[in-house]
Amino acid sequence: MKCEGKIEVLKKIALELRKIGVEEINLVGGDPAEYSKIEDLTKYLYKLGFRVPILSNTHQYKNSSIEKITPYVTSLEATFHAPTCVEHDRFNNSPGSYEMIMNNLKKYKALKTPSQNIGAVLNIMNHNYNQLYEIIEKVLEQGLPLDYVLIQRIGLYGRAQNDQEFAVFKDKLVVAFEQIDKINNLLGVESVMVDAFPLYLLPEEYHKYLDKCDWGYGTASIDMNGDITRCAVAEHSEENFLGNVLKTPIKEIWETSPTLLKFRNKSYLRNECQNCNLLEKCGGGCPISCGTNHLSTDILVKNLTRK
């Protein structure tokens, strides 16, 4: 069942974030383009001085338009699942979705200023791990310039739970990093892995495309009611609930939450990770990659013999 946040509540949340010096609010979903008050919200966030990227599957704005929201955003981002419109639409189970996103981003391209960006998001899956370069190449060939590409694994929740399409392991991920390297060097588009990843599993030449995940350090997820969790990928369960920013000062939550303190001290990691000289940079990989809400060693470390 779809529902949307009250604009008055979202504005209160934004004010609380502004008070503590938050610089950027990423609007993600669901699909923010379907929010009926999206123009009002982006205008308000812009007025407060936030950077505002929007990630949408369509950028087909309900009760608004690309023309109306463009002055208030920092970047528009879209997820591309395959090199061709047929494959992309089939994965989305939404005929015409590829053409829609391309047309809307081209409208934005014609309207935006040089300081505004266009970004692509790639989710590494078993059907596309060796096609990442081709996906971006096809986007560029169709006249849509990209300022950056963000690449990530899929959290094994919801639709992805127990689905082998989304569980990609070491050998295929190394191929994916070869693709990332080609996008950077042959296409000239800055492409980075935003997912936490155990560095020791990768050839050193690819380490430059990775850094420690910022979730739980400088980035958090806040829903339409003000409930805050450490990570946007994790399910919003009681275990991941840190507090409500409209009821408890965010600074207090961020500095005293037992869940955050446990995450940051890395005590949940296997000894191999805790004693690794790369731990400071990679953080031990993704603590929720196994598809549970419990902090644990990255699934890649637990499944080194898996393909």
Side-chain angles (χ1 to χ4, degrees):
M1 176 179 174
K2 291 185 178 181
C3 59
E4 63 176 40
K6 296 178 180 179
I7 188 65
E8 297 81 10
V9 175
L10 296 178
K11 288 181 177 180
K12 287 180 181 178
I13 294 170
L15 273 176
E16 292 302 312
L17 297 175
R18 183 75 278 179
K19 288 177 186 176
I20 62 167
V22 170
E23 298 177 345
E24 180 171 298
I25 293 180
N26 289 264
L27 299 181
V28 298
D31 193 335
E34 295 185 4
Y35 182 49
S36 62
K37 306 289 186 182
I38 188 67
E39 186 181 339
D40 187 5
L41 179 60
T42 54
K43 188 182 296 186
Y44 184 75
L45 296 178
Y46 177 83
K47 181 180 178 181
L48 288 180
F50 288 107
R51 295 193 300 267
V52 185
I54 301 179
L55 173 62
S56 168
N57 293 323
T58 64
H59 287 293
Q60 191 73 23
Y61 289 90
K62 183 178 180 179
N63 297 341
S64 188
S65 65
I66 288 283
E67 290 82 358
K68 290 179 179 178
I69 64 99
T70 291
Y72 311 115
V73 302
T74 307
S75 179
L76 295 188
E77 302 170 348
T79 304
F80 294 94
H81 297 296
T84 70
C85 59
V86 173
E87 295 170 287
H88 176 92
D89 293 355
R90 185 186 300 123
F91 181 85
N92 276 344
N93 194 28
S94 178
S97 60
Y98 188 92
E99 183 178 6
M100 180 183 293
I101 193 64
M102 290 297 295
N103 288 341
N104 285 332
L105 288 179
K106 285 179 181 178
K107 282 184 187 178
Y108 170 67
K109 168 195 168 187
L111 295 165
K112 75 180 189 67
T113 67
S115 64
Q116 293 172 295
N117 295 321
I118 301 174
V121 176
L122 301 178
N123 295 321
I124 301 176
M125 296 172 281
N126 279 295
H127 81 269
N128 71 2
Y129 71 95
N130 59 352
Q131 298 180 318
L132 306 182
Y133 174 87
E134 187 180 356
I135 292 171
I136 300 304
E137 183 181 44
K138 294 297 183 185
V139 170
L140 297 176
E141 285 178 354
Q142 294 179 68
L144 185 66
L146 295 173
D147 295 289
Y148 57 86
V149 179
L150 306 177
I151 303 166
Q152 60 192 3
R153 290 180 284 170
I154 292 285
L156 301 178
Y157 299 93
R159 176 185 173 186
Q161 191 170 20
N162 300 320
D163 189 332
Q164 290 305 304
E165 164 63 15
F166 302 98
V168 184
F169 293 102
K170 181 185 174 183
D171 290 351
K172 291 179 180 179
L173 283 165
V174 170
V175 173
F177 274 93
E178 293 171 356
Q179 299 277 305
I180 294 170
D181 190 60
K182 286 178 62 180
I183 294 170
N184 277 278
N185 293 317
L186 299 184
L187 298 180
V189 181
E190 181 183 7
S191 305
V192 295
M193 187 84 163
V194 294
D195 181 17
F197 197 97
L199 281 176
Y200 85 96
L201 295 176
L202 282 178
E204 190 171 349
E205 63 190 288
Y206 301 140
H207 288 193
K208 59 188 174 185
Y209 301 127
L210 280 159
D211 205 346
K212 183 167 61 178
C213 181
D214 195 49
W215 290 103
Y217 291 98
T219 306
S221 173
I222 302 177
D223 71 11
M224 62 186 180
N225 300 310
D227 290 342
I228 182 170
T229 56
R230 184 192 63 80
C231 177
V233 175
E235 291 180 316
H236 281 216
S237 65
E238 183 176 349
E239 182 173 357
N240 286 314
F241 175 71
L242 304 179
N244 185 288
V245 301
L246 298 178
K247 298 176 182 178
T248 307
I250 305 174
K251 184 176 174 61
E252 179 181 331
I253 295 172
W254 207 242
E255 292 180 352
T256 65
S257 163
T259 297
L260 283 177
L261 294 176
K262 179 181 178 181
F263 163 69
R264 291 169 185 158
N265 69 28
K266 302 300 179 188
S267 60
Y268 61 88
L269 291 174
R270 285 172 54 173
N271 288 336
E272 295 94 325
C273 286
Q274 292 196 43
N275 297 325
C276 179
N277 60 8
L278 294 172
L279 178 60
E280 180 60 29
K281 176 158 185 164
C282 78
C286 179
I288 55 168
S289 59
C290 298
T292 71
N293 286 318
H294 304 288
L295 295 175
S296 65
T297 296
D298 194 297
I299 192 171
L300 295 173
V301 179
K302 288 184 175 182
N303 294 275
L304 289 181
T305 60
R306 298 280 298 272
K307 303 295 183 185

